[in-house]
Amino acid sequence: MDAFALLSRGGAQFDKKRFSKEVSLFNGRKRPDEHSVSKPPETDELPAELDFFKYAEGGVHSGRAKKIKNEPRGMEDADEAADSEAEASGSEGDVDAEHTMPTAHRIRCTGEEVPSPITSFSELTSRYSIPPDLLRNVASAGYADPTGVQTQGIPIMLEKRDMAAIAPTGSGKTLAFLLPIFGLLGAPGRSAAKQAGARALIVSPTRELAQQIHNEALKLAKGRKWKTVVLNKATANALRDKAARRKVDLIVSTPLSLVSALEEGIVDLDNIRHLILDEADRLLEEGFLKQIEEILAGCSHPELQKAVFSATLPAAVEAIANTFLRRPIRVIVGLKDSATDTIQQELLFCGSEIGKLQALHNLVADGIQPPVLIFVQSIERATELFHELLYDGLNVDVVHSDRSKAQREETVRRFRRGEVWVLVATELMARGMDFKGVNLVVNYDFPQTVQSYIHRIGRTGRAGRQGKAVTYFTKEDAPYIKSVANVLKASGQEVPQYMLDLPKPSKLKKRELKRRPIERKDIARAAGAGVGRNLANRRRDMISASKRRKVEGEKAEKEVALAEE
DNA sequence: TCGCTTT
């Protein structure tokens, strides 16, 4: 049992079983004062509580803003500049011939000899001889019409061009590389020397995402003899057998698994013709970069096609990508550094740490529609918040990298199936994960980069669905607010003017900031305030939503199971 | 700074 839970309840026995029934759970617990949490400022005035000036020299009115612009460019500035340069350089390769298309969905291509986009999947048969059974699998996986990144990205991939694709979260990037890969793989792996061994490699920053990509690949490969494999301990072992290795067509892997297998000599990348870096900006960050370089070095085939995909690609990282992409085509869908417009975004000022906890309690008490995903900044805080919500009798689980592989898999599976209503997660879940029905993302801890914000909230509002994202902040988060406020503005959300007027803090000041842990006494106080008498009713709503979700989850699992056969 | 990545 968790010692912390015991402590925070003044020694009261903390027993999960107590919460298996809803009865009497919340009796006698007072609903917190509805106004105990500061509401978001409704005016454009700078709230007095927000003493931003200690994070930046000068202030909003000091004329400093102009000066900041003249300082050496940060990544975001460079990005904006890169985009306007592209725009200024003319509409060459711009497929948005008619200006009727809303900016948010506009596709812009730069590069030499950009192939024309497709307008339907069926077109791929005549144009690129894509087999009809592959297209049937596309259709039965639920893809009807190609999305922006697919219309342009698929022909580019099929013409074996290198590419940097930047497209919103939930807009179908996975299919944009998987479909062409299967179209180009040719005959499934046989012992014929030239075809032997893996010919395509997809690298992903997390195991969960690798597994998800693999599941999608299985759906597309259904009924054909292609073999795709996620590299992990078990599969790596199987690959020690040379004959088994020759049968693999497509490998999906995290960087370290792959490097490890490379060093052990149980995979060789000599025959890889298609290399995809998914969530490329993450993979090209320090910490991953060395391994990516090793992987690139291992892919020695002269006809290697490389493509990087992400919803975000800061200019500095794109520059790194451009060192290994050859004659790349850059595809950008929508506006750079903007969130999906189907997500309703809110920034909520909570005053303090305890204010955030109360805000969350109020949110739950007011009723939430599961599934809900809550992001925090560290493993420790994930654990703490998990226990807090468990105490509230919520159907909650937690996922982070300190949990075992089995626990992580089980938690994700249960969340997909609707058995877990609220999932507390670290950055681990921020990228790529496709939980189609997530209704709400809560950024309990303010994301530390714009990229993180965009990816986190992108777990909702996917594939054209509506979604909602609430981001809590306190004055500690001041240095990060302006850039996130700009994201809201760029995606057409209302945002108080004062947030946009904030000075841009220096990197140094950001670095000085440290997030304090959720303090035990804060939790004890907030928990004492209770979750509210309403919860039993709300639970009933949640249960019915959960049941609907479970049906969807099981259906999805069946599809994967079928594909595996 | 922390988060993430093999055994």
Side-chain angles (χ1 to χ4, degrees):
Chain A
M1 189 31 62
D2 175 53
F4 155 72
L6 291 174
L7 275 174
S8 67
R9 311 304 160 201
Q13 197 67 40
F14 184 86
D15 181 357
K16 257 194 225 178
K17 284 177 199 142
R18 275 178 59 209
F19 306 115
S20 57
K21 289 195 174 114
E22 353 184 324
V23 204
S24 80
L25 229 183
F26 302 102
N27 284 355
R29 295 181 79 194
K30 262 174 57 192
R31 187 190 170 103
D33 181 348
E34 291 202 340
H35 301 290
S36 58
V37 174
S38 306
K39 292 199 167 156
E42 278 163 21
T43 65
D44 280 352
E45 303 272 304
L46 179 72
E49 306 98 302
L50 295 179
D51 180 13
F52 294 110
F53 303 119
K54 70 181 178 191
Y55 300 108
E57 300 158 43
V60 187
H61 309 292
S62 68
R64 172 81 176 164
K66 208 168 191 179
K67 200 176 162 199
I68 285 171
K69 290 227 155 160
N70 294 331
E71 285 174 353
R73 279 173 176 177
M75 280 186 200
E76 292 155 27
D77 279 343
D79 263 352
E80 285 158 20
D83 281 350
S84 17
E85 277 157 25
E87 218 148 29
S89 73
S91 54
E92 188 185 358
D94 194 332
V95 299
D96 181 21
E98 316 155 69
H99 289 276
T100 49
M101 196 185 266
T103 323
H105 300 288
R106 187 176 60 167
I107 305 163
R108 206 164 64 213
C109 294
T110 42
E112 300 163 28
E113 298 174 70
V114 179
S116 62
I118 54 165
T119 53
S120 70
F121 289 123
S122 58
E123 197 180 324
L124 292 170
T125 303
S126 53
R127 211 170 127 185
Y128 295 105
S129 312
I130 297 300
D133 56 344
L134 179 53
L135 294 184
R136 268 198 295 278
N137 288 347
V138 169
S140 52
Y143 303 101
D145 295 308
T147 63
V149 66
Q150 291 161 0
T151 58
Q152 194 60 73
I154 288 172
I156 292 170
M157 287 290 295
L158 283 169
E159 298 195 13
K160 300 188 187 175
R161 295 289 302 275
D162 280 11
M163 172 165 65
I166 307 158
T169 53
S171 71
K173 291 187 284 294
T174 306
L175 187 72
F177 58 75
L178 279 181
L179 172 54
I181 282 176
F182 281 116
L184 292 167
L185 267 179
R190 291 167 300 172
S191 43
K194 262 216 147 181
Q195 292 278 296
R199 279 153 289 138
L201 171 64
I202 297 158
V203 185
S204 134
T206 63
R207 288 182 205 153
E208 285 75 9
L209 182 53
Q211 188 62 52
Q212 181 183 287
I213 293 166
H214 178 243
N215 290 345
E216 286 301 300
L218 287 176
K219 286 187 208 164
L220 292 187
K222 194 168 129 189
R224 315 189 93 207
K225 293 202 164 73
W226 286 316
K227 177 140 181 85
T228 88
V229 64
V230 182
L231 214 52
N232 56 38
K233 192 180 140 198
T235 57
N237 243 331
L239 292 180
R240 285 174 202 284
D241 174 31
K242 259 197 162 177
R245 226 182 295 168
R246 258 205 298 270
K247 284 184 188 140
V248 174
D249 298 293
L250 168 66
I251 295 174
V252 189
S253 181
T254 55
L256 211 48
S257 297
L258 188 64
V259 167
S260 168
L262 260 182
E263 283 167 358
E264 274 201 75
I266 54 179
V267 295
D268 67 75
L269 305 178
D270 299 345
N271 211 15
I272 297 289
R273 322 290 177 90
H274 314 284
L275 170 65
I276 306 292
L277 302 184
D278 198 14
E279 307 298 343
D281 51 335
R282 180 79 189 80
L283 291 175
L284 295 173
E285 271 174 28
E286 213 168 328
F288 274 131
L289 186 56
K290 263 194 95 171
Q291 294 150 34
I292 298 300
E293 282 170 348
E294 219 169 310
I295 291 163
L296 281 164
C299 294
S300 56
H301 198 280
E303 283 169 41
L304 177 68
Q305 173 186 40
K306 308 182 207 85
V308 301
F309 283 78
S310 185
T312 54
L313 194 62
V317 185
E318 188 170 6
I320 297 174
N322 281 330
T323 63
F324 58 80
L325 297 177
R326 288 178 307 187
R327 235 181 123 231
I329 297 172
R330 181 189 203 249
V331 178
I332 174 163
V333 180
L335 293 168
K336 191 146 189 195
D337 280 343
S338 72
T340 307
D341 58 10
T342 50
I343 307 169
Q344 183 203 326
Q345 303 168 60
E346 185 188 348
L347 302 181
L348 184 64
F349 179 60
C350 297
S352 62
E353 274 298 312
I354 186 168
K356 296 206 293 194
L357 196 48
Q358 280 198 322
L360 189 58
H361 282 308
N362 288 351
L363 184 82
V364 171
D366 289 347
I368 46 171
Q369 285 283 307
V372 173
L373 193 51
I374 303 179
F375 283 105
V376 291
Q377 199 52 48
S378 70
I379 291 168
E380 191 187 7
R381 286 174 66 83
T383 309
E384 288 174 2
L385 190 60
F386 165 62
H387 285 119
E388 178 61 32
L389 295 174
L390 202 60
Y391 180 84
D392 287 341
L394 268 179
N395 192 350
V396 62
D397 210 337
V398 61
V399 62
H400 52 66
S401 66
D402 260 8
R403 299 198 78 197
S404 73
K405 183 173 182 286
Q407 283 173 324
R408 281 164 61 165
E409 277 171 7
E410 176 68 2
T411 299
V412 167
R413 197 187 62 84
R414 283 167 41 82
F415 188 60
R416 283 194 200 280
R417 289 175 64 107
E419 293 167 14
V420 169
W421 301 345
V422 176
L423 182 59
V424 178
T426 60
E427 207 65 14
L428 174 65
M429 287 289 117
R431 281 175 179 260
M433 297 307 295
D434 188 34
F435 305 118
K436 282 194 185 61
V438 169
N439 289 312
L440 174 66
V441 168
V442 179
N443 284 317
Y444 188 86
D445 289 337
F446 206 83
Q448 303 209 333
T449 62
V450 166
Q451 288 77 26
S452 167
Y453 177 77
I454 290 169
H455 287 278
R456 283 179 178 190
I457 70 168
R459 297 319 97 206
T460 185
R462 298 177 73 78
R465 294 195 198 199
Q466 293 297 308
K468 205 182 159 200
V470 183
T471 300
Y472 294 171
F473 70 100
T474 70
K475 61 178 196 283
E476 314 291 324
D477 302 308
Y480 303 100
I481 289 170
K482 184 193 173 91
S483 47
V484 168
N486 279 325
V487 173
L488 268 83
K489 195 185 168 207
S491 34
Q493 301 283 309
E494 269 184 42
V495 50
Q497 188 58 40
Y498 80 85
M499 291 186 182
L500 302 169
D501 289 343
L502 288 167
K504 213 175 196 173
S506 69
K507 282 204 172 115
L508 189 70
K509 292 284 179 187
K510 274 193 188 178
R511 217 167 286 149
E512 277 173 20
L513 281 168
K514 280 181 188 147
R515 206 172 286 284
R516 68 196 184 98
I518 298 173
E519 281 181 19
R520 292 177 177 182
K521 72 173 194 310
D522 285 355
I523 290 184
R525 274 164 55 206
V531 173
R533 58 185 181 278
N534 248 340
L535 195 59
N537 292 334
R538 298 302 178 187
R539 281 175 68 94
R540 273 193 286 278
D541 293 344
M542 287 192 269
I543 287 167
S544 57
S546 160
K547 277 182 184 155
R548 284 198 299 275
R549 171 124 190 99
K550 191 170 172 185
V551 172
E552 280 185 39
E554 279 167 357
K555 203 179 136 209
E557 271 182 22
K558 259 180 218 157
E559 280 171 19
V560 171
L562 279 172
E564 272 167 349
E565 279 165 16

